[in-house]
Amino acid sequence: PHIPVICVDGPTASGKGTLASEVARRLGYHYLDSGALYRITALAATRAGLALDLAHEHGIARMAETLPVRFVDGRVLLGGDDVTDAIRTEEAGMNASRVSALPAVRTALVALQQSFRRLPGLVADGRDMGTVIFPDAALKVYLTASAAQRAERRHKQLNLKGIPTTITALRADLEARDARDSQRTVAPLKPAQDALLLDNSEQSVDESVAQVLRWWDEKQ
Ligand code: C5P
């Protein structure tokens, strides 16, 4: 049967995860946080002592192919280890961006990502969901917000968790990550040709969710 997919792609800290997981919840669909797979791969490679560079591309890709990863009740498990918090740091994000620029690593994660497409449907967020992983998705959203807004939101999030940072440092960090993600040769961050653009700089989460659900209704 045809299994519907909604893709939400966009730059770092644009609110993709919040939007995509809420849309999934409202529709009763599965949810794929593809960035988590790159974060987990980077963590597993670091723990195995591999530098995150081209010299280890194939070693890291082999690890990615057989990642013992499970998503259970909102927790992320790597083997027997709960890595939910370890993969959420800024450093983990930057490391994910490094391994994600290695072509063999991206290829190694394709089948795993596509395996999340199960009935009754899937909402997937990332950088290349609409361009590479689910090119036939019925709805592709490209979510953006200004760098200033994104840095401020990330700052609030981290503050709540008691992690000290400055908006200036966060903004530099996310701009560096966006630059790397947009400039890589394989699956660079860019809107799919048939993506609908959503700028949530001035929008609440509820408003963005409502917009995506309206677009989805219009497709039915
Ligand atoms: O979305 P998140 O910030 O968790 O992603 C971490 C990093 O993983 C991104 O900066 C990007 O380099 C990479 N990524 C990717 N393709 C995806 C999802 C994430 O290259 N589909």
Side-chain angles (χ1 to χ4, degrees):
H2 177 74
I3 304 174
V5 182
I6 299 175
C7 296
V8 182
D9 287 304
T12 302
S14 54
K16 299 182 301 292
T18 308
L19 174 64
S21 57
E22 181 57 18
V23 168
R25 199 184 65 78
R26 296 275 288 270
L27 295 172
Y29 282 9
H30 300 282
Y31 166 58
L32 166 62
D33 169 4
S34 62
L37 301 180
Y38 290 96
R39 289 169 182 264
I40 294 162
T41 301
L43 185 72
T46 307
R47 286 184 174 177
L50 297 178
L52 308 179
D53 56 27
L54 267 175
H56 298 95
E57 178 177 9
H58 293 283
I60 300 172
R62 267 195 301 278
M63 297 187 69
E65 243 161 27
T66 54
L67 270 188
V69 57
R70 283 180 305 142
F71 296 88
V72 183
D73 300 332
R75 309 300 296 177
V76 184
L77 306 177
L78 176 62
D81 228 15
D82 187 329
V83 296
T84 316
D85 298 325
I87 62 166
R88 283 301 143 205
T89 65
E90 288 304 297
E91 195 194 349
M94 199 54 99
N95 288 341
S97 175
R98 289 201 178 91
V99 298
S100 78
L102 304 172
V105 173
R106 304 200 69 85
T107 305
L109 288 173
V110 170
L112 176 58
Q113 294 174 84
Q114 290 175 342
S115 73
F116 281 78
R117 186 172 194 169
R118 279 176 278 128
L119 285 170
L122 174 69
V123 185
D125 86 55
R127 304 293 185 293
D128 64 343
M129 297 298 96
T131 52
V132 176
I133 306 296
F134 303 109
D136 66 328
L139 174 62
K140 301 176 185 177
V141 178
Y142 191 83
L143 187 67
T144 55
S146 66
Q149 274 289 346
R150 292 186 284 132
E152 201 170 300
R153 288 181 193 157
R154 183 54 57 98
H155 187 247
K156 266 193 204 144
Q157 262 178 8
L158 292 175
N159 244 348
L160 283 176
K161 291 191 199 162
I163 302 170
T165 51
T166 66
I167 294 186
T168 317
L170 284 171
R171 180 165 172 169
D173 219 59
L174 62 88
E175 286 181 330
R177 192 129 69 88
D178 289 347
R180 191 207 312 273
D181 291 347
S182 310
Q183 286 156 21
R184 68 182 175 221
T185 46
V186 183
L189 170 66
K190 63 158 192 249
Q193 243 179 348
D194 49 350
L196 299 176
L197 302 187
L198 182 58
D199 184 326
N200 71 4
S201 302
E202 309 290 330
Q203 258 183 352
S204 68
V205 174
D206 285 348
E207 287 170 322
S208 323
V209 169
Q211 173 65 262
V212 173
L213 291 174
R214 261 199 310 280
W215 280 336
W216 188 235
D217 278 346
E218 288 164 11
K219 298 271 181 192
Q220 307 308 303

